[in-house]
Amino acid sequence: MTTLSVDAETARSDYAALVERGLFLDITRGKPSPRQLDLSNGMLGLPGDVFKAEDGTDVRNYGGLNGLAELRRLFSGFLQVPADQLLAAGNSSLELMHDSVVQAMLSALPGAERRWADEERVAFLCPVPGYDRHFALSERFGIELIQVPMTESGPDMDVVERLVAEDAGIKGIWCVPKYSNPDGTTYSDETVRRLAAMTTAAPDFRIFWDNAYAIHHLTDVEAPLADLLALCEENGNADRAFVFGSTSKVTLAGAGVGFFGASKANIAWWLGKIGKRTIGPDKINQLRHILFLKDEDGVRAHMRKHRELIAPKFDAVDRILTEELGGTGLASWTKPTGGYFISLTVVPGTAKEVVRLAKAAGIALTPAGATHPYGDDPEDKTIRIAPTFPELAEIEEAVKGLTVCVRLAAAERA
Amino acid sequence: MTTLSVDAETARSDYAALVERGLFLDITRGKPSPRQLDLSNGMLGLPGDVFKAEDGTDVRNYGGLNGLAELRRLFSGFLQVPADQLLAAGNSSLELMHDSVVQAMLSALPGAERRWADEERVAFLCPVPGYDRHFALSERFGIELIQVPMTESGPDMDVVERLVAEDAGIKGIWCVPKYSNPDGTTYSDETVRRLAAMTTAAPDFRIFWDNAYAIHHLTDVEAPLADLLALCEENGNADRAFVFGSTSKVTLAGAGVGFFGASKANIAWWLGKIGKRTIGPDKINQLRHILFLKDEDGVRAHMRKHRELIAPKFDAVDRILTEELGGTGLASWTKPTGGYFISLTVVPGTAKEVVRLAKAAGIALTPAGATHPYGDDPEDKTIRIAPTFPELAEIEEAVKGLTVCVRLAAAERA
C-alpha cells in the first residue's frame, strides 16, 4: 500500500445510502449459477435406455470399485493421471480428500512407519490464502495446520522445503495447483518440480493435489501445469502425490463425479481399504457423464460455455474494483485467468470490519479469515470474492457495495 | 442331525457326472437379477426436465446435507425413523455403517468418555451366522468380533445381556433385524425390547441396525418388526440405535439411496462430522427416486414385482433341497419369508469341502465361513445360498449340483 486516499465523510454517507437500499445479495460461495447448471440439463434425461458400459457391465448393479473405465480414460489427460491409476467415485472430491486423511489416520500408508492416529503429531502445510474446507476437515481430525505464504508461482518453496526437511511431523500439504482458491495462481513448473523432488523428513509425506479447476479457464490462454505424478515418480517419490478432481463445476454441482489418482501402490492401498466401505460407486451417473460429454473435445466445448457465462462476471468485478478503488491504495486484487475466485486485499486490520459492514448492508461475503487455517488471517486483510453464482447485475451491485465498505473501514481505521 | 443316509458310491458317481457337465454357475452374492433391475428402468430417463425439490431447492447445485425431505418422509415409515431424524445420503448404506464406525473411532460419540481410537479395546457382538461385509469393515479397524448364536427370535439375548453388562469394551452389535442375512430370521418384539432396555457397561454402546430388507417380503405375511428407535428412547437409551437402510434392492443396486437414522443427538453429532466431508449428497438421484416411486403405495407395488420374480427362485431352492436331501439327515435349511438368502446347514465339518467340491464342478458359492467373523465357522457347517441373481433354471441346476456335493462331502467324512 502506498498513499491511502479516503474521504471519511463521503465514505460514511455512501455507506448510509448503501444500507438504505436494503440489498439482499450473496457472493459467499463458489457455486455455479443456475444458468451454468442449465448447460447440463441434457443430462437429466440420461442414460435413457442405455445401461451397459463399454465392457458390457450392467451399470445398474453392484460392483466396479474403480469406476467406469471410459470415464476414467476421458479425464485421465485433464487430470494428468494414467487411466489405470485414476478412480472415478461418488459425487464429491472433498469426500475423497477427507477419506484419504481418514484412511491414513487409521491404516499405515505405503511408506509409513505407523498410522497417523498413532503419531504424536500430524501437521499439514497450508499455502495461504487457501480453501477453508481443506482446513476444516484437517482441524476436525486434530491435524496441526502450518501457514506457508503463496507467491505468484505457488507456495513459497524455500519455506516449504525447509519445513518438510526438518519436521517429520509434517505429513502433508494442501495444494490447489491451478487457478488456486482464492488467488487464481497456477503453480510454476519449477514449484511443481521442487514439490516432487524435495526431501521430506516424514517417509509418508503426501501432497494433496486438489486440481479442482483443471479445465476451468477464463481466457484463451489455458494455463499449463506440470505433471506432478510423473515428476514424483521421476524423482524417486512415486507415492508422494494424491491427485483429486471432479466434474462438480463441469456438469452438475450436486451430482458430478469425483476422481482420485495416485501411484499404483497408493491405489492398491486405497482400494484395499475402500473396498470395505462400498461395493462400488454410482456407475449410472458415470455412464450419464460419458453419454453427455462424449470425449475430450466435448468437455472443452462444454467448458467454453461456462466461460461465456462467468468471464463477464469476473471482468465486471475487476472493472468496478478498478473504478472505485483503483489508485486509492486501499486495496489490491487478483485477475485470475481461471477458477472460481478473486482475492481482494484490503487495508490490514480491516477485512473483518469490511465483511461486517457488508453484511449489515445486506451483502453476504465469505467470513474474513476463512482463507486461513483456524480462521486466522494474521494481517486481517484477505477477502474472497466468489462471482459465479449471482447474476451479472447482482454481482456488479454487490461489488460496488463492497467497495463502499472497504473505503469506510479504511477511513474509520485511519 | 439324526440318522445320516448317504450312499458313498452313488455320491461319487453323481459328482463325477456333475463335473462332466462343465457348469458355470454363480450363487455367491445377494445381487438383484437383471430382470429385477429392469423393473426400475423407468428411472433411467428421470428426472427428465424437473430439477426442483418440493421446497424449491435446485437439486442440481451443492448443499442439502440431510438429503431431500420428501424422500426422507417417504422412507420414514418403512424404516421406523421420524423423518427429521432420517438422513438420505449416497448410493450405499454399507458406507454409512463404515463411516459411523470411522467417526466413532475419531470423535467421541454422544455419551462416550473418549473416541474409540483411544480405547484400549473395541469389541462388537456378531450374531452368527451373519453378514460378511459387517465383519470385514470391523476387522479392518481392529475391532474384536465376538460371536453370539442366532435363535429363531434373533440373537440369544441371554448371552447378549450378560456380555454387554460386564464388558465395557463391547461398543456395539451388528444386527440385520428383519429377514436376516443369511437366516431370514426376523427379531421378535421381545428381542428388540431387550436390546433397547438392556444395561450396557459401555456408555457409548451402539446397535448397528442394518434394516436392509425392511420391505423385501417373499409372502403375503409381512413380518412386523418392533420400533427399535422408539423403544430405546422409552427405555432411557435414546442414543443407542443407529438405523440403516437403502433402496439398493428396491430400485437399482448401484444407484440407490442409503439412509441413516438415529436420535436427535446422534444426528446432530453425525452432521457436525460429515459436514466436513461433503457439501451434500446427489439430490438429483433422490428426486429421481421420488418421481419414480411416488408414495408408500408405489413402493409397495414395486416390491411386489420383485417378489413375483424372486419368490419362485426361493421356492425352487426349497423344493430341490427337499427332494434331494429331505429326510436324509444330511442337511437342514431355512425357509425365509423375506430377504435375499437361504441358510443351509450341512454335516458339521463339511461346509468348506462342499464349497470346494461345488467350485470344482463350476458352481460358485459364498466361501464357507463367510457367515462368521474371521471366516471361522467353528462347526464348519453353514453355507449361504443367494438365489436372486441367476435365472430360475440356473438356480435349479446350481442347487441340484450343490446337493450332490453335500452328499459326497458327507460320505467322504463318514
Side-chain angles (χ1 to χ4, degrees):
Chain A
M1 308 271 160
T2 50
T3 344
L4 303 185
S5 154
V6 57
D7 172 354
E9 273 309 305
T10 312
R12 270 184 218 109
S13 69
D14 286 355
Y15 183 69
L18 177 67
V19 171
E20 192 68 24
R21 298 186 54 202
L23 297 178
F24 187 71
L25 299 166
D26 188 329
I27 51 174
T28 53
R29 293 231 70 100
K31 290 164 64 166
S33 67
R35 287 216 264 170
Q36 285 178 270
L37 297 169
D38 287 346
L39 298 175
S40 298
N41 278 354
M43 293 183 81
L44 298 175
L46 293 175
D49 52 7
V50 186
F51 51 80
K52 291 285 174 80
E54 65 174 17
D55 67 355
T57 299
D58 185 336
V59 297
R60 302 171 302 176
N61 221 325
Y62 291 116
L65 203 52
N66 296 43
L68 287 196
E70 50 268 52
L71 188 63
R72 292 154 48 213
R73 218 163 48 231
L74 174 54
F75 279 87
S76 168
F78 293 130
L79 293 172
Q80 298 168 296
V81 178
D84 62 345
Q85 293 166 233
L86 186 66
L87 307 177
N91 79 322
S92 150
S93 55
L94 185 69
E95 66 186 27
L96 294 170
M97 297 175 222
H98 173 280
D99 290 357
S100 298
V101 172
V102 161
Q103 300 296 342
M105 292 292 286
L106 295 171
S107 291
L109 280 165
E113 286 154 359
R114 62 189 73 82
R115 62 183 196 159
W116 291 356
D118 295 330
E119 294 279 357
E120 261 182 55
R121 176 170 155 268
V122 175
F124 266 53
L125 300 182
C126 302
V128 290
Y131 179 33
D132 56 349
R133 290 192 191 272
H134 290 163
F135 308 149
L137 84 83
S138 311
E139 287 170 32
R140 177 253 173 288
F141 294 114
I143 293 173
E144 179 188 333
L145 299 177
I146 301 170
Q147 300 191 10
V148 174
M150 281 289 283
T151 72
E152 283 182 9
S153 54
D156 185 328
M157 285 307 299
D158 293 342
V159 176
V160 170
E161 284 169 345
R162 181 173 50 73
L163 288 172
V164 300
E166 69 195 15
D167 185 348
I170 299 178
K171 297 294 192 185
I173 182 171
W174 286 112
C175 297
V176 182
K178 200 165 183 178
Y179 308 132
S180 70
N181 175 353
D183 276 354
T185 304
T186 298
Y187 292 16
S188 70
D189 289 357
E190 179 63 7
T191 296
V192 181
R193 193 198 58 73
R194 287 172 73 178
L195 282 166
M198 68 191 181
T199 302
T200 64
D204 51 350
F205 182 88
R206 290 293 184 278
I207 299 167
F208 281 65
W209 199 246
D210 181 3
N211 202 355
Y213 310 107
I215 51 178
H216 302 60
H217 314 291
L218 287 167
T219 74
D220 288 332
V221 185
E222 303 191 351
L225 178 69
D227 182 338
L228 178 71
L229 205 54
L231 285 167
C232 283
E233 189 164 352
E234 277 169 44
N235 284 276
N237 300 313
D239 296 338
R240 180 172 290 178
F242 277 178
V243 177
F244 304 94
S246 91
T247 69
S248 296
K249 295 183 181 82
V250 176
T251 55
L252 297 169
V257 175
F259 295 94
F260 176 59
S263 69
K264 290 196 168 84
N266 279 331
I267 291 295
W269 176 86
W270 171 265
L271 289 173
K273 308 304 170 202
I274 227 66
K276 304 291 188 287
R277 181 180 184 272
T278 174
I279 310 175
D282 181 345
K283 298 181 299 299
I284 294 184
N285 199 35
Q286 299 189 357
L287 179 63
R288 191 176 286 127
H289 275 74
I290 281 289
L291 294 171
F292 181 67
L293 296 170
K294 293 189 173 69
D295 52 27
E296 289 194 350
D297 283 343
V299 173
R300 287 195 193 93
H302 188 73
M303 293 313 293
R304 276 194 296 274
K305 295 181 197 161
H306 279 288
R307 174 185 156 190
E308 283 166 23
L309 291 171
I310 66 177
K313 297 180 181 180
F314 279 80
D315 291 345
V317 173
D318 184 61
R319 178 173 48 73
I320 294 165
L321 290 175
T322 303
E323 284 167 9
E324 302 293 325
L325 298 174
T328 63
L330 295 175
S332 61
W333 54 92
T334 56
K335 295 170 184 61
T337 59
Y340 260 58
F341 302 102
I342 289 165
S343 188
L344 173 70
T345 304
V346 296
V347 173
T350 69
K352 279 196 166 58
E353 177 63 6
V354 169
V355 172
R356 193 194 65 76
L357 288 168
K359 189 177 180 184
I363 302 167
L365 290 166
T366 307
T371 51
H372 288 64
Y374 314 111
D376 175 31
D377 174 6
E379 294 192 70
D380 185 27
K381 66 176 186 181
T382 314
I383 292 173
R384 186 181 82 164
I385 300 174
T388 56
F389 186 77
E391 288 296 305
L392 182 58
E394 291 171 336
I395 187 81
E396 285 174 339
E397 193 144 46
V399 173
K400 201 150 184 173
L402 170 60
T403 64
V404 172
C405 302
V406 169
R407 283 194 285 118
L408 179 58
E412 288 182 340
R413 179 161 180 94
Chain B
M1 307 276 160
T2 48
T3 344
L4 302 184
S5 154
V6 54
D7 171 354
E9 272 308 304
T10 311
R12 270 184 220 111
S13 69
D14 286 355
Y15 183 70
L18 177 68
V19 172
E20 190 69 21
R21 297 184 56 201
L23 297 178
F24 188 70
L25 299 167
D26 188 329
I27 51 173
T28 53
R29 293 230 70 99
K31 291 164 64 167
S33 68
R35 285 215 265 170
Q36 285 178 270
L37 297 169
D38 286 346
L39 298 175
S40 298
N41 277 354
M43 294 184 80
L44 298 176
L46 294 175
D49 51 7
V50 185
F51 51 80
K52 291 285 173 78
E54 64 174 16
D55 67 354
T57 299
D58 186 334
V59 297
R60 302 171 303 175
N61 221 324
Y62 291 115
L65 203 53
N66 296 41
L68 287 196
E70 50 268 52
L71 188 64
R72 291 154 49 214
R73 217 163 48 230
L74 175 55
F75 279 87
S76 169
F78 293 131
L79 293 173
Q80 299 168 294
V81 179
D84 62 345
Q85 293 167 229
L86 186 65
L87 307 177
N91 79 322
S92 149
S93 55
L94 185 70
E95 67 186 27
L96 294 170
M97 297 175 222
H98 174 279
D99 289 359
S100 299
V101 172
V102 161
Q103 300 295 342
M105 293 293 286
L106 294 171
S107 290
L109 281 165
E113 285 154 0
R114 61 190 73 82
R115 62 182 196 160
W116 291 356
D118 295 331
E119 294 280 0
E120 260 182 54
R121 175 170 155 268
V122 175
F124 267 52
L125 300 183
C126 301
V128 290
Y131 179 34
D132 56 349
R133 290 191 191 272
H134 290 162
F135 308 149
L137 83 83
S138 311
E139 287 169 32
R140 177 253 172 288
F141 295 114
I143 293 173
E144 180 189 331
L145 300 176
I146 301 170
Q147 300 191 10
V148 174
M150 281 289 282
T151 73
E152 282 181 11
S153 54
D156 185 327
M157 285 308 299
D158 292 341
V159 176
V160 171
E161 283 170 343
R162 182 172 49 75
L163 289 171
V164 300
E166 70 196 15
D167 185 348
I170 299 178
K171 297 295 191 183
I173 183 171
W174 286 113
C175 297
V176 182
K178 200 166 183 177
Y179 307 133
S180 70
N181 176 352
D183 275 355
T185 304
T186 297
Y187 292 15
S188 70
D189 290 357
E190 178 63 6
T191 296
V192 180
R193 194 198 56 71
R194 287 172 74 179
L195 283 166
M198 67 190 180
T199 302
T200 65
D204 51 350
F205 182 88
R206 291 293 184 280
I207 298 168
F208 281 66
W209 198 247
D210 182 1
N211 201 355
Y213 309 108
I215 50 178
H216 302 62
H217 315 291
L218 286 167
T219 74
D220 288 331
V221 184
E222 303 191 352
L225 179 69
D227 182 338
L228 177 72
L229 205 55
L231 286 167
C232 283
E233 191 164 351
E234 277 169 43
N235 284 277
N237 299 313
D239 296 338
R240 181 173 288 178
F242 278 178
V243 177
F244 304 94
S246 91
T247 70
S248 296
K249 295 184 182 82
V250 176
T251 55
L252 297 168
V257 175
F259 295 94
F260 176 58
S263 70
K264 289 195 167 86
N266 279 330
I267 292 294
W269 176 87
W270 171 264
L271 290 172
K273 307 306 169 200
I274 226 67
K276 305 290 189 287
R277 180 179 184 271
T278 174
I279 310 176
D282 181 345
K283 297 181 299 299
I284 295 184
N285 200 36
Q286 299 189 357
L287 180 62
R288 190 175 288 126
H289 275 73
I290 282 289
L291 294 170
F292 181 67
L293 296 170
K294 293 188 174 68
D295 52 26
E296 289 194 349
D297 283 342
V299 173
R300 286 195 193 93
H302 188 73
M303 293 313 293
R304 277 194 295 274
K305 294 181 198 162
H306 279 289
R307 173 184 156 191
E308 283 165 23
L309 290 171
I310 66 178
K313 297 180 181 181
F314 280 78
D315 291 344
V317 173
D318 184 61
R319 179 174 46 76
I320 293 165
L321 290 175
T322 303
E323 285 168 7
E324 301 293 325
L325 298 174
T328 62
L330 294 176
S332 62
W333 55 93
T334 56
K335 293 168 186 62
T337 59
Y340 260 56
F341 302 102
I342 290 165
S343 189
L344 174 69
T345 304
V346 298
V347 173
T350 68
K352 280 196 166 60
E353 177 62 6
V354 169
V355 172
R356 192 193 67 75
L357 288 168
K359 188 175 180 188
I363 302 167
L365 291 166
T366 308
T371 51
H372 288 63
Y374 313 112
D376 176 29
D377 175 5
E379 293 192 71
D380 185 27
K381 66 177 186 182
T382 314
I383 292 174
R384 185 181 83 165
I385 299 175
T388 56
F389 186 77
E391 289 296 307
L392 183 59
E394 291 171 335
I395 186 82
E396 287 173 338
E397 192 143 49
V399 173
K400 200 150 185 174
L402 169 59
T403 63
V404 172
C405 302
V406 169
R407 285 193 283 121
L408 179 58
E412 287 183 340
R413 183 165 174 89

